[in-house]
Amino acid sequence: MSVPRQIGTETRGALGVIYLRNAPVNALGHALRTAISDAHTAFCADPDIKAIALVGLPKFFSAGADIREFATGRKPPLLTEVIAQIEAAPKPTLALIGGVCFGGGFELALACDIRLAAPNARFSFPEIRLGNIPGAGGTQKLPRLVGGPAALDIIVTAREVRAEEAAALGLCAEVLPDLEAALLRAEAMAAAGIERQPIGARAVPGDISEMDAAAETALGAARGALAVTRAVEGVRMAYDTPLEQGQAWERETFIELNASDQSRAQRHVFFAEREARKVPDLPRDTAPREITRAAVVGADSAGAGIAMCFARAGLPVVLIDTDAAQIERARARIAELWDQARDGGGIDGPTLAAQRARLELSTELHAAASADVVVAAGSEDMTQTQEIFSALDRICKPGAILVNNGATLDLDSIAQATTRPGDVIGMHFLHSDDAVPLLEVVRAARTAPEVVATVMALAPRLDKQPVLVGVCDGLVGNRMVRAFGREVQMLVEEGATPDQVDAALAGFGVDIGQQLRDACAGAQGQPPRAPLTEDEIRRRCLWQLVNTGCRLLEEGIALRASDIDVIFVHGYGFPRFRGGPMHHAEAVGLSKVLADIRHYQEMLGPRWAPAPLLERAVREGLSLDAAMTSEAVA
């Protein structure tokens, strides 16, 4: 038969093999779906073939759907049709999985009778991050395979399940040394004969009452995310609903969610995250420097956390503090945190031992001499910081990148304390723990292009989402939060209670944070000028964020409106399903936002003066990014 470029085929004894070769990630677009369907049909018609195997690329079984089809629409055969074909076929199908098996790729694997995994196999349903649920059987089949609570956890967290856990859960039958070993096992199984094992014929193990606690946890963390609510419904349905009926509900729900405002917002964040990693004015041939060793200066809680972050990323790192007592406190704190991670099941013994071995502690600043990147953490005193950078300038090797971690000090002034201002850059770890993935990368006036490229490439190694920003007090996130916090406090002074403000914002999905709650609690309330509704509280807080964000765009501190959205989703608890403050404003309508801001300016004074960028966008009928371009052209 003629074989399309998206696949390869091979006969190995009684086993017909379909190799998925739609590089780079085996996205299940129309051409690949068609090729799989045609090859599977051909093998089913061959009397010498007793079983069929689907095999992906070594690092990608399949990353799932082609997300571009979310907007353009899909053409048959749909993934659900390919899956139905595999499940209805007279011959069993095996999935041999190495690397990424995500989304629709995961559902394709669930359609097969048997799953064999290589050690690097990773299973995940990322759809929840796009405001949706698995749409090709995931909510109905995964519970039948691993139980409702485990299935719900996998679906609503979008976490990755590694090969060993997958085998323990019963998600895959066996973990083999590599894909070739899996092929040999599949070939032997085909020769011996394989009994059909469709997941859909199974009942969900355990009692539905076990779902109660899992559902409560998921819904509590969702903060209003519609997709999580639907995921809970779907997994519950698997307990007592025939597969065909459950899958029909799932398909309808997938279509409904895909058209929702929440899903559009989350798709915006998905693409914004990728766009934020691009630096538009960076020459294409800019090569990043090699980073093999790090140093962190300052052993307070922030410095210790940053050092642990480097160690987790596989980089040898030395944590330095000239105060011996501080080093000992850091040593104890790091040991405590690692023990907690081990006891909580977040890390295994060998991995923990490797991380411990990569992290040294020293009281000598000269220990930074061999580092490729040195982070100064903890100090918000300009004189002290300049002294540290001047010393590092003398100690560090040529080409070492000197990093400030703070958000308030002028990075250009810090760079002037060195003879190598091109090597100076900022890396603002909002919090040192891994729960906050944001990294604001701060470019000073003289930061070299290759230094920017190096740090933007380093961030994903540290498991951080990078966003490039310019120099100003507070950078992007903290400066906007100050405006937000000031408005929260003003609302309380006007008569709103802290609980009322908290409830209004929590209803939108925003957690105002303990620091802002404390500020609210300390404000002296005045008799209200008028009843404050939840809607007005939200608009005043959110539009202060947006108006400040517009000023940061005008000043060039933020490159794109979508970058601001990424900062707030990843760093400040803004609900992903709202898309970030700037996206939310554009979804509501910039003209409506501007009308509100002008109303508040008239009522509340100059702190509500509208940003010129916002006025220009409304006047010219443009998006915020287009308005920036319009101004640049003008």
Side-chain angles (χ1 to χ4, degrees):
M1 63 182 176
S2 175
V3 179
R5 66 173 180 82
Q6 288 83 8
I7 67 166
T9 60
E10 179 186 18
T11 299
R12 296 176 63 134
L15 183 71
V17 184
I18 302 172
Y19 295 97
L20 282 57
R21 292 177 175 168
N22 189 28
V25 299
N26 270 334
L28 288 164
H30 175 256
L32 181 56
R33 296 195 303 268
T34 301
I36 293 170
S37 176
D38 291 346
H40 193 272
T41 298
F43 277 134
C44 283
D46 185 338
D48 295 328
I49 297 298
K50 304 303 180 186
I52 303 163
L54 301 178
V55 187
L57 299 166
K59 294 184 179 180
F60 287 92
F61 177 76
S62 172
D66 185 338
I67 195 170
R68 292 170 296 185
E69 292 185 339
F70 279 41
T72 61
R74 297 174 176 82
K75 296 186 293 184
L78 304 178
L79 179 59
T80 51
E81 293 169 339
V82 176
I83 285 172
Q85 173 185 328
I86 290 170
E87 292 176 329
K91 299 176 181 179
T93 302
L94 301 88
L96 313 187
I97 301 157
V100 167
C101 183
F102 287 2
F106 194 171
E107 288 171 305
L108 182 64
L110 290 176
C112 298
D113 296 82
I114 296 172
R115 286 152 298 282
L116 302 176
N120 68 332
R122 294 179 287 149
F123 301 84
S124 179
F125 278 127
E127 286 87 349
I128 209 80
R129 296 179 64 80
L130 298 175
N132 217 319
I133 61 172
T139 67
Q140 301 304 299
K141 292 176 189 168
L142 188 60
R144 288 171 161 88
L145 192 62
V146 303
L152 184 65
D153 172 66
I154 291 168
I155 291 169
V156 301
T157 63
R159 71 180 182 88
E160 295 182 11
V161 179
R162 304 279 174 163
E164 287 187 7
E165 182 186 359
L169 287 171
L171 216 170
C172 61
E174 196 173 353
V175 179
L176 284 305
D178 51 36
L179 286 180
E180 182 56 35
L183 272 167
L184 291 171
R185 180 61 52 86
E187 185 178 348
M189 294 171 75
I194 300 173
E195 183 180 348
R196 295 300 310 268
Q197 302 177 39
I199 294 173
R202 307 182 189 188
V204 178
D207 190 86
I208 194 170
S209 62
E210 297 174 355
M211 272 290 295
D212 292 343
E216 183 178 354
T217 298
L219 294 172
R223 293 190 292 164
L226 183 59
V228 175
T229 302
R230 294 289 187 268
V232 171
E233 292 176 19
V235 174
R236 283 189 183 278
M237 191 175 291
Y239 280 86
D240 53 18
T241 305
L243 179 67
E244 187 174 325
Q245 183 179 336
Q247 290 189 139
W249 171 89
E250 184 187 67
R251 286 192 293 274
E252 292 171 3
T253 303
F254 182 90
I255 293 168
E256 170 203 329
L257 289 172
N258 193 53
S260 69
D261 290 341
Q262 288 196 8
S263 184
R264 278 190 286 270
Q266 289 181 244
R267 293 199 298 272
H268 163 77
V269 175
F270 177 88
F271 288 112
E273 289 164 340
R274 283 142 187 81
E275 194 68 15
R277 297 186 181 109
K278 302 174 184 176
V279 182
D281 60 353
L282 207 62
R284 284 183 171 271
D285 59 352
T286 304
R289 297 177 185 173
E290 185 178 12
I291 301 295
T292 61
R293 184 173 177 81
V296 178
V297 178
D300 63 1
S301 59
I306 294 168
M308 292 177 71
C309 189
F310 278 105
R312 275 190 291 267
L315 285 165
V317 58
V318 56
L319 177 62
I320 303 168
D321 201 300
T322 55
D323 183 339
Q326 182 75 334
I327 280 287
E328 291 310 310
R329 286 192 292 270
R331 191 190 308 277
R333 178 59 177 155
I334 289 169
E336 179 185 2
L337 290 172
W338 266 330
D339 288 345
Q340 288 174 358
R342 180 198 59 207
D343 296 343
I347 188 171
D348 59 38
T351 302
L352 176 60
Q355 291 182 11
R356 288 184 189 273
R358 285 192 286 266
L359 201 161
E360 305 172 36
L361 295 98
S362 175
T363 57
E364 298 293 331
L365 198 58
H366 280 274
S370 61
D372 302 300
V373 59
V374 183
V375 180
S379 176
E380 292 293 346
D381 177 88
M382 176 60 81
T383 301
Q384 185 180 34
T385 301
Q386 286 179 322
E387 289 173 355
I388 291 170
F389 272 76
S390 179
L392 291 173
D393 183 34
R394 296 189 299 271
I395 290 168
C396 293
K397 64 183 181 180
I401 295 174
L402 308 183
V403 177
N404 183 52
N405 175 52
T408 61
L409 300 182
D410 184 341
L411 189 63
D412 291 315
S413 297
I414 293 171
Q416 289 173 6
T418 75
T419 61
R420 51 171 102 183
D423 291 339
V424 176
I425 196 168
M427 292 172 67
H428 180 221
F429 294 78
L430 184 66
H431 294 290
S432 56
D433 59 73
D434 282 342
V436 180
L438 174 67
L439 181 69
E440 286 178 296
V441 178
V442 192
R443 175 167 56 181
R446 296 175 65 184
T447 304
E450 66 270 18
V451 172
V452 174
T454 302
V455 174
M456 293 296 284
L458 175 62
R461 292 175 64 186
L462 302 176
D463 203 21
K464 299 292 181 180
Q465 167 70 53
V467 181
L468 186 67
V469 301
V471 176
C472 75
D473 183 8
L475 307 177
V476 171
N478 283 356
R479 182 166 152 189
M480 289 175 67
V481 165
R482 286 174 195 162
F484 175 91
R486 180 184 61 213
E487 202 60 32
V488 167
Q489 196 161 0
M490 292 302 296
L491 284 161
V492 173
E493 291 181 1
E494 291 171 29
T497 67
D499 286 346
Q500 185 184 7
V501 175
D502 199 0
L505 293 170
F508 184 78
V510 173
D511 182 349
I512 68 170
Q514 189 59 47
Q515 184 176 0
L516 292 180
R517 285 194 189 90
D518 293 342
C520 288
Q524 297 300 313
Q526 302 297 321
R529 55 172 178 77
L532 290 164
T533 66
E534 285 196 352
D535 181 60
E536 181 174 358
I537 290 170
R538 289 172 186 168
R539 282 185 287 130
R540 281 180 55 177
C541 293
L542 294 174
W543 297 164
Q544 272 289 353
L545 281 179
V546 171
N547 203 39
T548 308
C550 288
R551 295 191 184 281
L552 287 161
L553 289 167
E554 290 168 356
E555 296 167 17
I557 304 301
L559 292 178
R560 292 163 285 240
S562 61
D563 285 1
I564 295 175
D565 291 331
V566 172
I567 286 170
F568 271 81
V569 167
H570 280 276
Y572 293 89
F574 201 94
R576 191 181 186 90
F577 64 82
R578 301 289 187 186
M582 311 309 279
H583 172 85
H584 176 68
E586 299 206 74
V588 167
L590 295 180
S591 60
K592 294 180 181 178
V593 173
L594 180 58
D596 281 345
I597 288 174
R598 284 174 171 162
H599 168 69
Y600 292 135
Q601 181 187 22
E602 183 178 332
M603 184 173 65
L604 299 170
R607 77 174 186 274
W608 276 100
L613 175 66
L614 177 59
E615 293 180 309
R616 183 166 61 253
V618 172
R619 183 172 61 248
E620 300 180 15
L622 300 173
S623 69
L624 293 172
D625 284 337
M628 289 175 63
T629 304
S630 171
E631 173 67 9
V633 170

